[in-house]
């Protein structure tokens, strides 16, 4: 086994820990959501199970992909390599900082594409179908969307020669931060205003889950909040005010029901209205 393949296998082994992290954070964030909730929703009893079912399906598909076709995908993408950031003469810290910014920009771009292109939107919209956004929503993604985003980010990381460890690091931080941005918590507003210059906050991301079209198409950032300010997609507050925001999809975009079957089949259904 050559060192490159070894590195990839090492990455796969590290990647499995994210699901334990996810579980831990759901357990850590959940008490705060009870203590300092932003919205006082009463969620349907089945909601948690539906999300868990979809998340496990996505996890299984990504796991199958990683253990069967991952190395082949990387080998294929290597044919298109343009550049290798990891082989430049810059200090290691600079290479890593630049790589993390670059991966975050890829995530931001993929998120925008997911709202612009019809088929990607059909996949991504099930994430927006949740009308009770909290930390659990962070793991609600269609299995095919998860595969598409893994391939998208992997492709650009390979063609630009991003160090594998930067990808591992980003994935771990993004997993934790993703649960934080979806958390139904009310941070002190002064604190939110300071940290949102750098990272996406729960209030900022909740605006992205608004049913209002302009708000649902704003605040695409994953970890860093400045991409939205730079590309003009930043919306500071929902027009309804933070406490009265309506979350989810417009009537003609909604899946027929919030069940596992309906969410998983949603991308293949004929569009209504
Ligand atoms: Zn979105």
């Amino acid at each position: 086994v050559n060192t490159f393949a070894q590195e990839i296998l090492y990455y796969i082994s590290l990647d499995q820990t994210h699901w334990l992290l996810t579980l831990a954070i759901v357990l850590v964030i959940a008490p705060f959501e009870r203590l300092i909730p932003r919205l006082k929703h009463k969620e349907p009893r089945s909601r948690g199970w539906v999300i868990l079912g979809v998340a496990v399906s996505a996890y299984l598909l990504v796991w199958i992909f990683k253990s069967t076709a991952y190395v082949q995908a990387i080998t294929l993408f290597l044919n298109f390599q343009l550049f290798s950031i990891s082989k430049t003469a810059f200090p290691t810290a600079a290479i890593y900082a630049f790589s993390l910014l670059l991966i975050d920009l890829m995530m931001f771009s993929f998120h925008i594409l997911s709202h612009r292109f019809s088929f990607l939107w059909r996949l991504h919209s099930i994430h927006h179908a949740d009308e009770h956004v909290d930390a659990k929503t962070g793991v609600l993604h269609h299995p095919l969307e998860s595969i598409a985003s893994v391939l998208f980010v992997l492709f650009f990381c390979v063609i630009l020669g991003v160090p594998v460890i930067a990808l591992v690091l980003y994935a771990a931080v993004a997993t934790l931060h993703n649960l934080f941005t979806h958390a139904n918590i009310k941070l002190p507003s002064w604190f939110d205003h300071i940290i949102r210059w750098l990272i996406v906050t729960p209030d900022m991301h909740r605006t992205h889950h608004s049913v209002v079209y302009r708000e649902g198409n704003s605040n695409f950032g994953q970890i860093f909040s400045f991409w939205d300010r730079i590309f003009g997609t930043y919306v500071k507050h929902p027009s309804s005010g933070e406490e009265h925001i309506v979350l989810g999809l417009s009537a003609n975009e909604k899946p027929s029901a919030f069940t596992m079957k309906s969410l998983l089949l949603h991308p293949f259904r004929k569009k209504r209205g």
Side-chain angles (χ1 to χ4, degrees):
V1 188
N2 66 38
T3 50
F4 190 67
Q6 253 169 356
E7 218 180 346
I8 294 162
L9 292 172
Y10 175 63
Y11 169 53
I12 295 170
S13 71
L14 281 182
D15 200 40
Q16 309 303 320
T17 59
H18 299 159
W19 284 84
L20 292 173
L21 285 175
T22 301
L23 194 68
I25 298 302
V26 167
L27 295 177
V28 173
I29 286 184
F32 284 98
E33 291 183 320
R34 227 158 270 175
L35 218 63
I36 45 164
R38 172 57 92 187
L39 302 170
K40 293 181 181 77
H41 277 157
K42 245 190 107 181
E43 58 171 333
R45 201 170 293 180
S46 61
R47 178 177 166 264
W49 294 108
V50 171
I51 294 176
L52 185 69
V54 175
V56 169
S57 317
Y59 171 64
L60 283 176
L61 196 67
V62 171
W63 180 76
I64 291 170
F65 168 71
K66 286 192 170 167
S67 48
T68 56
Y70 205 51
V71 175
Q72 287 91 321
I74 292 172
T75 313
L76 176 72
F77 295 163
L78 274 171
N79 294 319
F80 304 98
Q81 191 170 40
L82 300 169
F83 188 73
S84 183
I85 296 165
S86 43
K87 286 182 189 138
T88 54
F90 291 105
T92 312
I95 291 177
Y96 275 78
F98 183 72
S99 297
L100 295 179
L101 284 171
L102 201 65
I103 300 169
D104 199 58
L105 181 60
M106 290 171 203
M107 293 297 289
F108 173 81
S109 311
F110 186 73
H111 193 183
I112 290 194
L113 296 176
S114 298
H115 279 253
R116 295 282 184 274
F117 287 98
S118 166
F119 188 70
L120 285 177
W121 169 245
R122 281 157 170 262
L123 297 176
H124 181 60
S125 68
I126 76 155
H127 176 68
H128 284 269
D130 195 359
E131 294 171 359
H132 305 266
V133 173
D134 63 16
K136 293 195 279 304
T137 312
V139 296
L140 177 65
H141 286 281
H142 197 280
L144 295 178
E145 186 195 13
S146 303
I147 293 282
S149 74
V150 165
L151 282 172
F152 181 86
V153 172
L154 192 66
F155 178 71
F156 286 100
C157 283
V158 171
I159 67 166
L160 299 173
V162 168
V164 176
I165 305 302
L167 200 57
V168 175
L169 198 67
Y170 182 87
V173 175
T175 302
L176 296 174
H177 179 263
N178 178 45
L179 298 164
F180 168 70
T181 53
H182 285 96
N184 178 25
I185 55 174
K186 183 182 173 176
L187 294 174
S189 57
W190 63 267
F191 182 66
D192 181 294
H193 284 291
I194 293 171
I195 65 169
R196 76 159 65 185
W197 281 103
L198 181 66
I199 61 167
V200 179
T201 66
D203 279 358
M204 189 179 157
H205 187 70
R206 200 175 304 105
T207 303
H208 176 72
H209 281 266
S210 166
V211 79
V212 176
Y213 183 83
R214 175 174 145 65
E215 294 165 5
N217 286 279
S218 73
N219 302 0
F220 293 100
Q222 177 78 33
I223 294 181
F224 298 116
S225 52
F226 39 76
W227 304 123
D228 283 295
R229 294 181 196 260
I230 293 171
F231 293 100
T233 47
Y234 176 61
V235 169
K236 196 173 175 191
H237 295 299
S239 53
S240 58
E242 301 289 354
E243 316 280 344
H244 303 286
I245 185 169
V246 179
L247 304 168
L249 296 167
S250 59
N252 63 330
E253 301 265 19
K254 273 184 204 188
S256 49
F258 197 83
T259 59
M260 209 177 134
K261 185 180 162 201
S262 163
L263 293 179
L264 291 177
L265 293 179
H266 180 66
F268 312 102
R269 290 259 157 83
K270 249 191 155 166
K271 209 178 158 184
R272 285 169 291 148

